[in-house]
Amino acid sequence: MNTQREVDEFVKNGHREYLPHVSIDSVIFGYHDQQLRILLLRWRGLEGWGLPGGFIRRREPLSQAAHRILQERTGLEDLFLQQFHVFGDTPYRVRERSPEEFIEKYGLDIGHDNWLFERTLSIGYFALVDYSKVTVRTDFFTDAYQWWEVGEIPPLLFDQNEEVEKALATLRLQIYHQPIGYNLLPEKFTIPEIHSLYETILGKELDQRNFSKKLLALGLIRKLDERRAIGPHRSPYLYQFEKEAYEEALKQGIVHTY
Amino acid sequence: MNTQREVDEFVKNGHREYLPHVSIDSVIFGYHDQQLRILLLRWRGLEGWGLPGGFIRRREPLSQAAHRILQERTGLEDLFLQQFHVFGDTPYRVRERSPEEFIEKYGLDIGHDNWLFERTLSIGYFALVDYSKVTVRTDFFTDAYQWWEVGEIPPLLFDQNEEVEKALATLRLQIYHQPIGYNLLPEKFTIPEIHSLYETILGKELDQRNFSKKLLALGLIRKLDERRAIGPHRSPYLYQFEKEAYEEALKQGIVHTY
DNA sequence: AAATTATTCCGTAAAATTTACGAATTGTGA
DNA sequence: TCACAATTCGTAAATTTTACGGAATAATTT
C-alpha cells in the first residue's frame, strides 16, 4: 500500500475488505549486539512513533492475519508470534489525534465518519526476531523505522506505551515457563551470547556458570565441536538448541528459575 | 433482555449500540463441595450448551464491558476477572448453526445479513467465583443453566470447548505465579478446604502438610483462633487470606511450586 | 618465544528449598 | 471411656539453587 490510489481505496473502502473496530498491533522484539530492541515506525507528518500494525481481512483467521502483517513488515515468514492482550479500555484512542489533523496531514478526501476513526480494539501480538535478518518496509503512512532499546522507548502515539509495557512483562514472565531464544539468536550461538540475552530480557544478572549448567541439564542446548573466534581471547564453543526438547518445553511449559 | 420487544430491538438495531464483529465470552469457574465447575447456559431450541457472553457497548471500556456482562449474569459485583485469549481462527463460527435455523428457532424477523451472523471475534475472559453466592439469570435465548464439572463439559456450541480448555490451562499456569482462592473460597476457610481447591485446580495430589507450610511461609494466609465443626472429627482451624500480602503477590507475581 | 590480558569454562562446597513421612492431637459418636 | 477419622506438628532426607575459586585458552604485546 504505497501509491496514492491504493491508499485512497484502503481508506474509502477498507471496511469492506477488513473487519472494522479491530486491529492488530505488534511489538516486535529484536536482539542484536547484546541489546533488546523494539521496532517502531514513524508516522509521516504526525511527528510521532507507533507500533507496526494492520487489520484483519473479513475471512482471514486471526492468527493468519497476525503472521501476514508481520511478514509484510519484516519479510520474515516463520517467527515466534504470540497474542498477549487486547487493549480496549480507552474507547477513542485514535481521537488523540483529531480526524481533521489526520485527514489534512495525509491529504485524504474523507469525512469524520470514516471507518478508520471509529472505536477500535487492538489485539496485541509480540514477536521475537533476530533483527539483523529483518528487512523493514514502511508504507504510505510511515516514513521511517528504528529499532529502539527497550529502556528508551519514546512516548508513542495512540497510548501504545502501555502495550509495549505489557508485552515486555509478558515476555519476562514467559521466560520462566518456556524456552526463549530460538527465534532471537542465530542457529549456532555461544554461551555468553545466550546468557547475555537472558540477562537482557530479565533485566538482571545471572551467574553464567550456573546458567549454562541449567540449560544443559534441561537438555535444551547441545554443545558443538566448533568454536567462534572473538578476537584476542579464548574462543567460546558454539551451541545449538535441541529442537525436540525445545519444542516439547514450549508445549508443556516448564517451571523453574535461571 | 427478556421481552420479545427488547429482543427484536437488540437483533435489529444492536449494531448501533454495540460494536459488531467482537464479543466477550466468559468462562466462569465456580468452586463448591470440593468441585471445580463451569457455568454453562442452554440455548433454547438449539439443544446445546454454550458460554455466557455479550457484546461491548460502543463507548464502553473493554474491561468494564466484561464486568457488566458478568454482573448481569451472576449478580456479582466484585470478582476476579481476567482476559485470557482472543479466539478468531474459525472465521465463520456462528454458521455452524445456520442463520435459517437460528431465525426460525427464535422466531426472529431478520435477514441473513443481520449483524449477528457476521464474522465475530470472541474475547475470552475467565472469572473465579464461589458458586453458592451466585444467582444466575437466563435470558431470551437461553432457558437453563448448569454448573458443569470441568472434567465433564459436553460438546459446546460455536466451538467453545477450545475456549474452556484454554481458560483451564491459563488458570493452571497462573496458579504457579499468583495466589488463587480469594474469590473462590468463603472469607474464612480451613486448610483442608484450600488444599482441596488447589488439588482440584491442578488435578494432582499435594501433600497437605507441606502445602500449608508453604502458604504460611509465603505469608498469604493467617491462622485464626476459631475452628469449624465438621462432624465426628477433629475441628480444623479457620484461616483468612492476608489481604496485603495477597494483593502484593497478585501484582508482583511469585515463582514457586506447591 | 615468553609474558600479558581478557574471557571462557570446569568443578565443588555451602545454603536453601522441596519432598517425604512418622507420630501426636483432637472432636465426636458409640 | 474407647475407637475412629481427620487435623496438625515436627524432623530428616533428598534435591535444587547459589556461590565462587581457579584452570584453560586465544590472540596481542613485549
Side-chain angles (χ1 to χ4, degrees), chain A residues 60 62 83 86 88 119 177, chain B residues 60 62 83 86 88 119 177:
Chain A
E60 182 181 39
L62 176 59
Q83 206 189 93
V86 185
R119 162 102 188 263
H177 287 287
Chain B
E60 183 180 38
L62 176 59
Q83 207 188 95
V86 186
R119 162 104 188 260
H177 287 286

Side-chain angles (χ1 to χ4, degrees), chain B residues 163-179:
Chain B
E163 302 187 29
V164 172
E165 284 308 310
K166 182 86 178 176
L168 196 53
T170 305
L171 179 61
R172 285 188 175 146
L173 192 60
Q174 194 142 321
I175 206 171
Y176 287 115
H177 287 286
Q178 295 195 337

Side-chain angles (χ1 to χ4, degrees), chain A residues 62-91:
Chain A
L62 176 59
S63 59
Q64 190 174 313
H67 275 95
R68 173 180 52 77
I69 289 167
L70 258 286
Q71 204 278 327
E72 288 170 359
R73 197 60 87 178
T74 64
L76 295 179
E77 289 282 351
D78 189 30
L79 37 70
F80 182 88
L81 185 57
Q82 183 186 302
Q83 206 189 93
F84 68 95
H85 200 72
V86 185
F87 298 88
D89 275 355
T90 320

Side-chain angles (χ1 to χ4, degrees), chain A residues 136-147:
Chain A
V136 182
R137 227 177 300 173
T138 59
D139 62 12
F140 177 81
F141 294 100
T142 53
D143 60 3
Y145 73 88
Q146 190 175 317
W147 288 96

Side-chain angles (χ1 to χ4, degrees), chain B residues 27-87:
Chain B
V27 178
I28 307 175
F29 290 101
Y31 184 73
H32 199 73
D33 283 343
Q34 312 205 349
Q35 296 282 345
L36 186 67
R37 293 169 181 271
I38 289 172
L39 178 64
L40 295 179
L41 302 175
R42 193 175 63 204
W43 283 69
R44 187 160 64 78
L46 295 183
E47 312 278 321
W49 295 85
L51 294 171
F55 291 93
I56 304 155
R57 296 210 175 107
R58 286 190 170 252
R59 292 169 159 273
E60 183 180 38
L62 176 59
S63 60
Q64 191 175 313
H67 276 94
R68 173 179 53 76
I69 289 167
L70 258 286
Q71 204 278 327
E72 287 170 1
R73 198 60 87 176
T74 65
L76 293 179
E77 289 282 351
D78 189 32
L79 37 69
F80 181 88
L81 185 57
Q82 184 187 302
Q83 207 188 95
F84 68 95
H85 199 71
V86 186
F87 298 88

